[in-house]
């Protein structure tokens, strides 16, 4: 008896399984536009590369030019403490964790959409006991109590004749790839923010060390002035000026503690640790000793593959294009195949025997004849969303080029400013030495010393500020260049095919015909 039930289940499963190979025959037709990567205007070279050639400054990378493509890009700065902190971002930063969760959800959605290629098989068993009315005349069931035992399998399948499911899978896969790129963009952003905060904190440490050294010199000056006053050489105004200079500088040194504490707290949050339990000690030696990284970024067209945000925007264009196909499939009828089989009897002893078998098999074809423009409106909406995603993609490309140019310009200008500022610092130090010597000889008043000291300190602090800005621009440049990431990594997302190569990239130096082709937004309408 058990074998009969098993045989029946096998037969019902077989009736459902024969439909699966058929899907390979009917799924070849996909309505809607096939995806073509949109074009974007790309210059042949970066403006700032040409600017460096004109002023003969060239490029002076702190490491080999390819160092930013090694993955752990922060290692180019040679700071072991920064390396240790960066290693914690991917594991503990909550923004990165949230992005990873969104990627897992997008990948699960791909599996959900792909499951629609196959039949849905359900099984059920039931028992009911029914008492009929004795007033049912002319029936043999009047006044009877009837048992009903049943067990069955149901299989339903909608062949993907018009490619609706295929387009849905295509869209979900592109969204999963976009989510993977988003995850990398968030990770890169958090890593860059950590490096920027870290160098800012080290800059404050360097500035605090400068102020501490200055305070030591000011105390000596105050002691000297007090000694000269006791000897009747200096005036009480000189002593007052020396005291004011010392106390003002002490207040400036104390004020740096607020900025340092805030940066330390920000770093703690970035590495996923409560600020109250995190401390970043002052490094022995010279803080802010890292050199800014300035490397030729290559041709602009490579940026389309190196920036995760550009890759994410391009993948969303592909997803929107597939949704146009999904909306187009609604104009065609759907085919549904259903199989039902099982056992049913009114007596338990007769339940699991051959005569209790039942089955049914039949197709159903259904289509919408009139919806007063509803489907057309849905397709128009999908087309509009596609056009919007194309515009967003091109805007993302423009923003990316702007960020690279901004930071290349910042590095070039700050490099020149640093050289000029170093000369100013040297000149201020020489002037201060001369003024102090003349004051000791009684040739000038202490006010001249105060002015020279203020000028020297201001120039030295400005030099530290420029050094911090150069490192911040260097980190921003690495981030703008993608941090060594490449869009080819998206090929491994759910076994998906890699994104189309940017073969349609147009250079800004091409002729008017190329410009007309580039600037025309590709529309899904013409592909229907």
């Amino acid at each position: 008896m058990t074998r009969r039930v098993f045989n029946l289940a096998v037969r019902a499963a077989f009736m459902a399984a024969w439909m699966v190979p058929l899907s390979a025959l009917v799924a070849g037709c996909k309505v809607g536009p096939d995806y073509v990567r949109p074009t974007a205007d790309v210059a042949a070279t970066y403006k700032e590369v040409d600017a460096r050639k004109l002023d003969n400054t060239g490029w002076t990378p702190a490491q080999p030019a390819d160092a930013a493509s090694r993955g752990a890009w922060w290692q180019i700065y040679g700071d072991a403490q920064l390396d240790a902190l960066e290693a914690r971002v991917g594991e503990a930063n909550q923004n990165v964790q949230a992005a990873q969760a969104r990627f897992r959800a997008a990948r699960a959605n791909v599996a959900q959409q792909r499951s629609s290629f196959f039949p849905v098989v359900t099984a059920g068993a039931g028992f009911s006991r029914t008492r009929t009315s004795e007033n049912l005349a002319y029936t043999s069931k009047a006044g009877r109590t009837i048992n009903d035992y049943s067990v069955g399998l149901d299989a339903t399948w909608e062949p993907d004749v018009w490619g609706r499911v295929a387009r849905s899978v295509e869209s979900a896969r592109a969204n999963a790839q976009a989510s993977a790129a988003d995850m990398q963009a968030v990770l890169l952003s958090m890593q860059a923010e950590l490096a920027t905060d870290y160098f800012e904190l080290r800059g404050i440490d360097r500035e605090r060390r400068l102020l501490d050294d200055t305070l030591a010199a000011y105390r000596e000056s105050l002691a000297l002035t007090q000694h000269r006053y006791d000897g009747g050489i200096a005036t009480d105004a000189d002593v007052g000026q020396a005291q004011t200079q010392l106390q003002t500088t002490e207040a400036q040194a104390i004020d740096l503690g607020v900025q340092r504490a805030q940066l330390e707290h920000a770093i703690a949050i970035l590495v996923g640790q409560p600020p109250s339990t995190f401390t970043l000690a002052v490094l022995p030696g010279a803080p802010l000793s890292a050199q800014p990284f300035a490397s030729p970024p290559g041709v602009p067209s490579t940026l389309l593959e190196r920036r995760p945000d550009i890759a994410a925007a391009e993948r969303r264009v592909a997803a929107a294009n597939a949704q146009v196909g999904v909306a187009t499939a609604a104009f065609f009828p759907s085919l549904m195949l259903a199989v039902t089989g099982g056992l049913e009897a009114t007596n338990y002893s007769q339940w699991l025997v051959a005569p209790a078998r039942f089955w049914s098999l039949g197709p159903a074809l259904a289509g919408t004849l009139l919806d007063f423009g509803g489907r057309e409106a849905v397709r128009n909406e999908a087309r509009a969303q596609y056009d919007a995603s194309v515009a967003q993609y091109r805007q993302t490309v423009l923003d990316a080029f702007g960020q690279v140019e901004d930071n290349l310009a910042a590095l070039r200008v700050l490099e020149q400013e640093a050289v000029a500022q170093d000369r100013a610092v040297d000149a201020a130090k020489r002037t201060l030495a001369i003024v102090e010597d003349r004051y000791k000889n009684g040739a000038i008043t202490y006010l001249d010393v105060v002015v020279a000291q203020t000028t020297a300190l201001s120039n030295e602090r400005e030099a530290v500020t420029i050094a911090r800005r150069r490192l911040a621009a260097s980190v921003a440049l690495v981030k703008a260049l993608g941090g060594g990431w490449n869009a080819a990594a998206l090929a491994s997302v759910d076994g998906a095919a890699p994104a189309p190569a940017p073969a349609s990239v147009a250079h800004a130096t091409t002729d008017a015909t190329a410009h007309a082709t580039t600037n025309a937004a590709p529309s899904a309408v013409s592909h229907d």
Side-chain angles (χ1 to χ4, degrees):
M1 188 175 298
T2 303
R3 179 176 296 180
R4 291 176 179 173
V5 175
F6 175 76
N7 290 339
L8 182 62
V10 170
R11 291 177 182 176
F14 177 77
M15 295 172 69
W18 71 268
M19 298 185 292
V20 177
L22 185 60
S23 63
L25 299 177
V26 298
C29 177
K30 291 194 295 185
V31 297
D34 292 330
Y35 177 65
V36 177
R37 183 170 183 164
T39 58
D41 283 333
V42 180
T45 183
Y46 288 106
K47 177 181 178 181
E48 284 300 318
V49 174
D50 295 335
R52 280 190 174 259
K53 292 178 181 178
L54 291 175
D55 62 18
N56 296 318
T57 58
W59 289 95
T60 55
Q63 297 288 337
D66 201 33
S69 300
R70 306 303 186 193
W73 54 267
W74 52 86
Q75 294 179 358
I76 61 178
Y77 298 106
D79 192 310
Q81 195 164 46
L82 175 62
D83 295 346
L85 291 171
E86 291 285 4
R88 298 171 58 184
V89 173
E91 300 176 355
N93 184 272
Q94 297 306 303
N95 289 326
V96 176
Q97 296 296 315
Q100 291 174 347
R102 288 191 291 269
F103 166 62
R104 293 196 303 270
R107 190 167 55 180
N109 185 52
V110 177
Q112 177 186 355
Q113 298 298 328
R114 189 183 291 118
S115 67
S116 297
F117 279 122
F118 306 97
V120 176
V121 181
T122 61
F127 166 74
S128 64
R129 184 177 177 85
T130 306
R131 168 71 180 183
T132 62
S133 172
E134 295 182 0
N135 293 329
L136 296 177
Y138 308 110
T139 65
S140 59
K141 297 181 180 180
R144 294 182 56 189
T145 300
I146 302 172
N147 296 327
D148 184 21
Y149 301 88
S150 64
V151 61
L153 291 175
D154 294 310
T156 58
W157 178 53
E158 181 182 354
D160 192 26
V161 179
W162 311 113
R164 179 186 61 82
V165 177
R167 293 298 189 190
S168 296
V169 172
E170 181 182 332
S171 177
R173 181 180 291 128
N175 279 323
Q177 290 176 323
S179 182
D182 287 340
M183 180 178 64
Q184 293 298 325
V186 171
L187 177 60
L188 177 59
S189 179
M190 295 298 101
Q191 291 169 341
E193 185 176 343
L194 172 61
T196 302
D197 289 348
Y198 178 82
F199 288 134
E200 186 73 16
L201 183 143
R202 291 307 176 204
I204 289 178
D205 287 346
R206 180 172 170 178
E207 195 170 352
R208 178 58 191 262
R209 179 167 296 183
L210 170 64
L211 289 175
D212 289 344
D213 294 341
T214 302
L215 286 171
Y218 286 179
R219 291 188 183 97
E220 293 179 1
S221 297
L222 176 60
L224 174 63
T225 305
Q226 183 67 48
H227 180 71
R228 290 169 61 85
Y229 173 74
D230 293 340
I233 302 175
T235 66
D236 57 351
D238 293 341
V239 176
Q241 289 174 341
Q243 289 177 335
T244 301
Q245 181 84 328
L246 174 63
Q247 292 168 357
T248 300
T249 306
E250 285 180 343
Q252 293 174 355
I254 295 173
D255 184 67
L256 291 177
V258 176
Q259 301 177 49
R260 193 186 194 282
Q262 292 174 344
L263 288 168
E264 191 177 67
H265 299 162
I267 292 173
I269 294 172
L270 287 170
V271 299
Q273 185 172 337
S276 58
T277 63
F278 180 83
T279 301
L280 201 59
V282 177
L283 288 176
L288 204 66
S289 59
Q291 294 297 316
F293 171 77
S295 174
V299 295
S301 60
T302 61
L303 197 65
L304 301 185
E305 296 300 311
R306 294 187 60 173
R307 289 271 300 226
D309 58 339
I310 292 179
E314 185 274 330
R315 290 287 80 201
R316 289 192 169 91
V317 175
N321 182 80
Q323 285 300 317
V324 176
V326 174
T328 303
F331 285 88
F332 299 87
S334 60
L335 176 65
M336 181 68 69
L337 302 178
V339 176
T340 301
L343 299 169
E344 186 175 23
T346 59
N347 190 295
Y348 182 77
S349 62
Q350 298 175 344
W351 181 26
L352 303 178
V353 295
R357 292 177 297 176
F358 69 91
W359 61 270
S360 67
L361 169 65
L365 188 65
T368 303
L369 297 179
L370 183 63
D371 65 353
F372 299 97
R375 288 170 296 171
E376 183 65 27
V378 172
R379 185 166 64 173
N380 289 339
E381 179 184 7
R383 288 170 173 169
Q385 290 175 346
Y386 168 78
D387 291 338
S389 65
V390 171
Q392 185 61 49
Y393 165 71
R394 288 175 173 158
Q395 185 62 47
T396 303
V397 172
L398 289 174
D399 291 341
F401 289 144
Q403 291 168 8
V404 173
E405 293 284 6
D406 285 347
N407 291 290
L408 287 174
L411 285 172
R412 177 176 59 84
V413 174
L414 287 172
E415 181 181 352
Q416 298 171 353
E417 186 177 356
V419 173
Q421 188 63 38
D422 288 342
R423 291 196 294 263
V425 170
D426 292 339
K429 287 181 177 180
R430 290 195 302 270
T431 301
L432 177 60
I434 294 172
V435 169
E436 288 178 336
D437 185 65
R438 294 187 65 189
Y439 173 71
K440 292 176 183 178
N441 293 329
I444 56 177
T445 65
Y446 194 77
L447 179 61
D448 296 316
V449 177
V450 170
V451 172
Q453 288 176 335
T454 301
T455 302
L457 178 59
S458 175
N459 278 280
E460 288 187 277
R461 295 187 70 177
E462 182 62 25
V464 175
T465 299
I466 293 173
R468 290 204 307 258
R469 291 174 61 193
R470 291 182 67 189
L471 283 169
S474 174
V475 172
L477 175 60
V478 175
K479 178 185 176 183
L481 293 174
W485 183 85
N486 193 282
L490 296 181
S492 60
V493 177
D494 193 52
S504 57
V505 171
H507 293 284
T509 56
T510 55
D511 57 22
T513 303
H515 270 296
T517 302
T518 299
N519 294 329
S523 174
V525 177
S526 61
H527 295 287
D528 287 348

